[in-house]
Amino acid sequence: MAVSVSVVLLLLVLAVIFLRSGGLKLSHALVCALLGFFLAGTSMAPTIQNGVAATANVVSSLKP
């Protein structure tokens, strides 16, 4: 678990740096994808999933 959290934090820092630089290259997209896969394996995954589901429910209930 400690290794997984360290990798998630490292990938998160890299993703933020890549986003701030303004350019998205293949390597940047790969880092972001790896961040997603490692986040899915942490204890934060259910919280993230619930937040995304709640946001989707709010957006789907809006009427134009």
Side-chain angles (χ1 to χ4, degrees):
M1 180 67 180
V3 173
S4 159
V5 170
S6 299
V7 171
V8 168
L9 289 176
L10 174 66
L11 290 173
L12 180 63
V13 168
L14 287 174
V16 168
I17 290 170
F18 291 153
L19 286 173
R20 286 185 178 235
S21 71
L24 184 64
K25 298 179 182 177
L26 182 60
S27 60
H28 302 161
L30 180 63
V31 167
C32 290
L34 286 174
L35 173 63
F37 282 117
F38 278 106
L39 272 177
T42 64
S43 61
M44 295 183 337
T47 305
I48 294 170
Q49 185 178 9
N50 290 339
V52 170
T55 304
N57 286 336
V58 167
V59 170
S60 67
S61 68
L62 294 176
K63 296 182 180 181

Coordinates of all heavy atoms in Angstrom, one line a residue:
M1 N 0.8 -1.2 0.0 CA 0.0 0.0 0.0 C 0.9 1.3 0.0 O 0.6 2.2 -0.7 CB -0.9 0.0 1.2 CG -1.8 1.2 1.3 SD -3.0 1.2 0.0 CE -3.9 2.6 0.4
A2 N 2.0 1.3 0.8 CA 2.8 2.4 0.8 C 3.5 2.7 -0.5 O 3.6 3.9 -0.9 CB 3.9 2.3 1.9
V3 N 3.9 1.7 -1.2 CA 4.5 1.9 -2.6 C 3.4 2.5 -3.5 O 3.7 3.4 -4.3 CB 5.0 0.6 -3.1 CG1 5.5 0.7 -4.5 CG2 6.2 0.1 -2.2
S4 N 2.2 1.9 -3.4 CA 1.1 2.4 -4.3 C 0.8 3.9 -4.1 O 0.6 4.6 -5.0 CB -0.1 1.5 -4.1 OG -1.2 2.1 -4.5
V5 N 0.8 4.3 -2.8 CA 0.5 5.7 -2.5 C 1.6 6.6 -3.0 O 1.4 7.7 -3.6 CB 0.3 5.9 -1.0 CG1 0.2 7.3 -0.6 CG2 -1.0 5.2 -0.5
S6 N 2.9 6.1 -2.9 CA 4.0 6.9 -3.3 C 4.0 7.1 -4.9 O 4.2 8.2 -5.4 CB 5.3 6.2 -3.0 OG 5.5 6.1 -1.6
V7 N 3.6 6.0 -5.6 CA 3.5 6.1 -7.0 C 2.4 7.0 -7.4 O 2.5 7.8 -8.3 CB 3.3 4.7 -7.6 CG1 3.0 4.7 -9.1 CG2 4.5 3.8 -7.4
V8 N 1.2 7.0 -6.7 CA 0.1 7.8 -7.0 C 0.5 9.3 -6.8 O 0.2 10.2 -7.7 CB -1.1 7.5 -6.1 CG1 -2.2 8.6 -6.2 CG2 -1.7 6.2 -6.6
L9 N 1.2 9.6 -5.7 CA 1.6 11.0 -5.5 C 2.6 11.5 -6.5 O 2.5 12.6 -7.0 CB 2.2 11.1 -4.1 CG 1.2 11.0 -2.9 CD1 2.0 11.1 -1.6 CD2 0.2 12.1 -3.0
L10 N 3.6 10.6 -6.9 CA 4.5 10.9 -8.0 C 3.8 11.2 -9.3 O 4.1 12.2 -10.0 CB 5.6 9.8 -8.1 CG 6.6 10.0 -9.3 CD1 7.5 11.2 -9.0 CD2 7.4 8.8 -9.5
L11 N 2.9 10.3 -9.7 CA 2.2 10.5 -10.9 C 1.3 11.7 -10.9 O 1.1 12.4 -11.9 CB 1.4 9.3 -11.3 CG 2.2 8.0 -11.6 CD1 1.3 6.8 -11.8 CD2 3.0 8.3 -12.9
L12 N 0.7 12.0 -9.7 CA -0.1 13.2 -9.6 C 0.7 14.5 -9.8 O 0.3 15.4 -10.5 CB -0.8 13.2 -8.2 CG -1.7 14.4 -8.0 CD1 -2.8 14.5 -8.9 CD2 -2.2 14.4 -6.5
V13 N 1.9 14.5 -9.2 CA 2.8 15.7 -9.4 C 3.2 15.8 -10.8 O 3.2 16.9 -11.4 CB 4.0 15.5 -8.5 CG1 5.1 16.5 -8.8 CG2 3.6 15.7 -7.0
L14 N 3.5 14.7 -11.5 CA 3.9 14.8 -12.9 C 2.7 15.2 -13.8 O 2.9 16.0 -14.7 CB 4.4 13.4 -13.4 CG 5.8 13.0 -12.9 CD1 6.0 11.5 -13.3 CD2 6.8 13.9 -13.4
A15 N 1.5 14.8 -13.5 CA 0.4 15.2 -14.2 C 0.1 16.7 -14.1 O -0.2 17.4 -15.1 CB -0.9 14.4 -13.8
V16 N 0.3 17.2 -12.9 CA 0.1 18.7 -12.7 C 1.1 19.5 -13.4 O 0.8 20.5 -14.1 CB 0.1 19.0 -11.2 CG1 0.2 20.5 -10.9 CG2 -1.1 18.4 -10.5
I17 N 2.4 19.0 -13.4 CA 3.4 19.7 -14.2 C 3.1 19.7 -15.6 O 3.3 20.7 -16.3 CB 4.8 19.0 -13.9 CG1 5.2 19.3 -12.4 CG2 5.8 19.5 -14.8 CD1 6.4 18.6 -12.0
F18 N 2.7 18.5 -16.2 CA 2.4 18.4 -17.6 C 1.2 19.3 -18.0 O 1.2 19.9 -19.0 CB 2.1 17.0 -18.0 CG 3.3 16.1 -17.9 CD1 3.1 14.7 -17.7 CD2 4.5 16.5 -18.1 CE1 4.2 13.9 -17.7 CE2 5.6 15.7 -18.1 CZ 5.5 14.4 -17.8
L19 N 0.2 19.4 -17.1 CA -0.9 20.3 -17.4 C -0.6 21.7 -17.4 O -1.0 22.5 -18.2 CB -2.1 20.0 -16.4 CG -2.8 18.7 -16.6 CD1 -3.8 18.5 -15.5 CD2 -3.5 18.7 -17.9
R20 N 0.3 22.1 -16.5 CA 0.7 23.5 -16.4 C 1.6 23.9 -17.6 O 1.7 25.1 -17.9 CB 1.4 23.8 -15.1 CG 0.5 23.8 -13.9 CD 1.2 24.2 -12.7 NE 0.3 24.3 -11.6 CZ 0.1 25.4 -10.9 NH1 0.9 26.4 -11.1 NH2 -0.7 25.4 -9.9
S21 N 2.3 23.0 -18.2 CA 3.2 23.3 -19.3 C 2.4 23.6 -20.5 O 3.0 24.3 -21.4 CB 4.2 22.2 -19.5 OG 3.5 21.0 -20.1
G22 N 1.2 23.2 -20.6 CA 0.4 23.6 -21.8 C 0.4 22.6 -22.9 O -0.3 22.7 -23.9
G23 N 1.3 21.7 -22.9 CA 1.5 20.7 -24.0 C 1.1 19.3 -23.6 O 1.4 18.9 -22.5
L24 N 0.4 18.6 -24.4 CA 0.1 17.3 -24.0 C 0.7 16.3 -25.1 O 0.3 16.4 -26.3 CB -1.4 17.1 -24.0 CG -1.9 15.7 -23.5 CD1 -1.5 15.4 -22.1 CD2 -3.4 15.5 -23.7
K25 N 1.7 15.6 -24.7 CA 2.3 14.7 -25.6 C 1.9 13.2 -25.2 O 1.2 13.0 -24.2 CB 3.8 14.8 -25.5 CG 4.3 16.2 -25.9 CD 5.8 16.3 -25.7 CE 6.3 17.6 -26.0 NZ 7.7 17.8 -25.8
L26 N 2.3 12.3 -26.0 CA 2.0 10.9 -25.7 C 2.5 10.5 -24.4 O 1.8 9.8 -23.6 CB 2.6 10.0 -26.8 CG 2.2 8.5 -26.7 CD1 0.7 8.3 -26.8 CD2 2.9 7.8 -27.8
S27 N 3.7 10.9 -24.0 CA 4.2 10.5 -22.7 C 3.4 11.1 -21.6 O 3.2 10.5 -20.5 CB 5.7 11.0 -22.6 OG 5.8 12.4 -22.7
H28 N 2.9 12.3 -21.8 CA 2.0 12.9 -20.8 C 0.7 12.2 -20.6 O 0.2 12.0 -19.5 CB 1.7 14.4 -21.1 CG 2.9 15.2 -21.3 ND1 2.9 16.4 -22.0 CD2 4.2 15.0 -20.9 CE1 4.1 16.9 -22.0 NE2 4.9 16.1 -21.4
A29 N 0.1 11.8 -21.7 CA -1.1 11.0 -21.7 C -0.9 9.7 -21.0 O -1.8 9.2 -20.2 CB -1.7 10.8 -23.1
L30 N 0.2 9.1 -21.2 CA 0.6 7.8 -20.6 C 0.7 8.0 -19.0 O 0.1 7.1 -18.3 CB 1.9 7.2 -21.1 CG 2.3 5.9 -20.6 CD1 1.3 4.8 -20.9 CD2 3.7 5.6 -21.1
V31 N 1.3 9.0 -18.6 CA 1.4 9.3 -17.2 C 0.0 9.5 -16.6 O -0.3 9.0 -15.5 CB 2.3 10.5 -16.9 CG1 2.2 11.0 -15.5 CG2 3.8 10.2 -17.2
C32 N -0.8 10.3 -17.2 CA -2.2 10.5 -16.7 C -3.0 9.2 -16.7 O -3.7 9.0 -15.7 CB -2.9 11.5 -17.6 SG -2.2 13.2 -17.4
A33 N -2.8 8.3 -17.7 CA -3.5 7.0 -17.7 C -3.0 6.2 -16.5 O -3.8 5.5 -15.8 CB -3.3 6.3 -19.0
L34 N -1.7 6.1 -16.3 CA -1.1 5.4 -15.2 C -1.6 5.9 -13.9 O -1.9 5.1 -12.9 CB 0.4 5.4 -15.2 CG 1.0 4.5 -16.3 CD1 2.5 4.8 -16.3 CD2 0.7 3.1 -16.1
L35 N -1.8 7.2 -13.7 CA -2.3 7.8 -12.5 C -3.7 7.3 -12.3 O -4.1 7.0 -11.1 CB -2.3 9.3 -12.6 CG -3.0 10.1 -11.5 CD1 -2.3 9.8 -10.2 CD2 -3.1 11.6 -11.8
G36 N -4.5 7.2 -13.3 CA -5.9 6.7 -13.1 C -5.9 5.3 -12.7 O -6.7 4.9 -11.8
F37 N -5.1 4.5 -13.3 CA -5.0 3.0 -12.9 C -4.5 2.9 -11.5 O -5.1 2.1 -10.7 CB -4.1 2.2 -13.8 CG -4.7 1.9 -15.1 CD1 -4.2 2.4 -16.3 CD2 -5.9 1.1 -15.2 CE1 -4.8 2.1 -17.5 CE2 -6.5 0.8 -16.4 CZ -5.9 1.4 -17.6
F38 N -3.5 3.6 -11.0 CA -3.1 3.5 -9.7 C -4.1 4.1 -8.7 O -4.2 3.6 -7.6 CB -1.7 4.2 -9.5 CG -0.6 3.3 -9.9 CD1 0.1 3.5 -11.1 CD2 -0.2 2.2 -9.2 CE1 1.1 2.7 -11.5 CE2 0.8 1.4 -9.6 CZ 1.5 1.6 -10.7
L39 N -4.8 5.2 -9.0 CA -5.8 5.7 -8.2 C -6.9 4.7 -8.0 O -7.5 4.6 -6.9 CB -6.4 7.0 -8.7 CG -5.7 8.3 -8.4 CD1 -6.3 9.5 -9.1 CD2 -5.7 8.5 -6.9
A40 N -7.2 3.9 -9.0 CA -8.3 2.9 -8.9 C -8.0 1.8 -7.9 O -8.9 1.2 -7.3 CB -8.6 2.3 -10.3
G41 N -6.7 1.7 -7.6 CA -6.3 0.6 -6.7 C -6.1 1.1 -5.2 O -5.8 0.4 -4.3
T42 N -6.4 2.4 -5.0 CA -6.2 2.9 -3.7 C -7.6 2.9 -2.9 O -8.6 2.7 -3.5 CB -5.7 4.4 -3.7 OG1 -6.7 5.2 -4.3 CG2 -4.4 4.5 -4.4
S43 N -7.5 3.3 -1.7 CA -8.7 3.4 -0.9 C -9.6 4.6 -1.2 O -10.7 4.7 -0.8 CB -8.4 3.4 0.6 OG -7.6 4.6 0.9
M44 N -9.1 5.5 -2.0 CA -9.8 6.7 -2.5 C -10.8 6.4 -3.6 O -11.6 7.2 -4.0 CB -8.9 7.8 -2.9 CG -8.0 8.3 -1.8 SD -7.0 9.7 -2.2 CE -6.7 9.6 -3.9
A45 N -10.6 5.2 -4.2 CA -11.4 4.9 -5.4 C -12.9 4.9 -5.2 O -13.6 5.5 -6.0 CB -11.0 3.5 -6.0
P46 N -13.5 4.4 -4.1 CA -14.9 4.5 -3.9 C -15.4 5.9 -3.7 O -16.5 6.3 -4.2 CB -15.2 3.7 -2.6 CG -14.0 2.8 -2.5 CD -12.9 3.5 -3.1
T47 N -14.6 6.8 -3.1 CA -15.0 8.2 -2.9 C -15.0 8.9 -4.2 O -15.9 9.7 -4.5 CB -14.0 8.8 -1.9 OG1 -13.9 8.1 -0.7 CG2 -14.4 10.3 -1.7
I48 N -14.0 8.6 -5.1 CA -13.9 9.3 -6.4 C -15.1 8.8 -7.2 O -15.8 9.6 -7.9 CB -12.6 9.0 -7.1 CG1 -11.5 9.6 -6.3 CG2 -12.6 9.4 -8.5 CD1 -10.1 9.2 -6.7
Q49 N -15.4 7.5 -7.2 CA -16.5 6.9 -7.9 C -17.9 7.5 -7.5 O -18.7 7.9 -8.3 CB -16.6 5.4 -7.8 CG -17.6 4.8 -8.7 CD -17.6 3.3 -8.6 OE1 -16.9 2.7 -7.7 NE2 -18.4 2.6 -9.4
N50 N -18.1 7.7 -6.2 CA -19.3 8.3 -5.7 C -19.4 9.7 -6.1 O -20.5 10.2 -6.5 CB -19.4 8.2 -4.2 CG -19.6 6.7 -3.7 OD1 -20.1 5.9 -4.5 ND2 -19.2 6.4 -2.5
G51 N -18.3 10.5 -6.1 CA -18.3 11.9 -6.5 C -18.6 12.0 -8.0 O -19.4 12.9 -8.4
V52 N -18.1 11.2 -8.8 CA -18.3 11.2 -10.2 C -19.8 10.9 -10.5 O -20.5 11.5 -11.3 CB -17.4 10.3 -11.0 CG1 -17.8 10.2 -12.5 CG2 -15.9 10.9 -10.9
A53 N -20.3 9.9 -9.8 CA -21.7 9.5 -10.0 C -22.7 10.6 -9.6 O -23.7 10.8 -10.2 CB -22.0 8.2 -9.2
A54 N -22.4 11.2 -8.5 CA -23.2 12.3 -8.0 C -23.2 13.5 -9.0 O -24.2 14.1 -9.3 CB -22.8 12.8 -6.6
T55 N -22.0 13.8 -9.5 CA -21.9 14.9 -10.5 C -22.7 14.5 -11.8 O -23.4 15.3 -12.3 CB -20.4 15.1 -10.8 OG1 -19.7 15.4 -9.6 CG2 -20.3 16.3 -11.8
A56 N -22.6 13.3 -12.2 CA -23.3 12.8 -13.4 C -24.8 12.9 -13.1 O -25.6 13.3 -14.1 CB -22.9 11.4 -13.7
N57 N -25.3 12.6 -12.0 CA -26.7 12.7 -11.6 C -27.2 14.1 -11.7 O -28.3 14.4 -12.2 CB -27.0 12.1 -10.3 CG -27.0 10.6 -10.3 OD1 -27.2 9.9 -11.4 ND2 -26.7 10.0 -9.2
V58 N -26.4 15.0 -11.1 CA -26.8 16.4 -11.2 C -26.8 17.0 -12.6 O -27.8 17.7 -13.0 CB -25.8 17.3 -10.3 CG1 -25.9 18.8 -10.5 CG2 -25.9 16.9 -8.8
V59 N -25.8 16.6 -13.4 CA -25.8 17.1 -14.8 C -26.9 16.5 -15.6 O -27.6 17.2 -16.4 CB -24.4 16.7 -15.4 CG1 -24.5 17.0 -16.9 CG2 -23.3 17.5 -14.8
S60 N -27.3 15.2 -15.3 CA -28.4 14.6 -16.1 C -29.7 15.1 -15.7 O -30.7 15.1 -16.5 CB -28.3 13.1 -15.9 OG -28.7 12.7 -14.6
S61 N -29.9 15.7 -14.5 CA -31.1 16.2 -14.1 C -31.4 17.7 -14.5 O -32.5 18.2 -14.4 CB -31.2 16.2 -12.5 OG -30.3 17.1 -11.9
L62 N -30.4 18.3 -15.1 CA -30.5 19.7 -15.6 C -31.3 19.7 -16.9 O -31.1 18.8 -17.7 CB -29.2 20.3 -15.8 CG -28.3 20.6 -14.6 CD1 -26.9 21.1 -15.0 CD2 -28.9 21.5 -13.7
K63 N -32.2 20.6 -17.0 CA -33.0 20.7 -18.2 C -32.6 22.0 -18.9 O -32.5 23.1 -18.3 CB -34.5 20.8 -17.9 CG -35.0 19.5 -17.3 CD -36.4 19.5 -17.0 CE -36.8 18.2 -16.4 NZ -38.3 18.1 -16.1
P64 N -32.3 21.9 -20.3 CA -31.9 23.1 -21.0 C -33.0 24.1 -21.2 O -34.1 24.0 -21.1 CB -31.5 22.6 -22.3 CG -31.9 21.2 -22.4 CD -32.4 20.8 -21.1

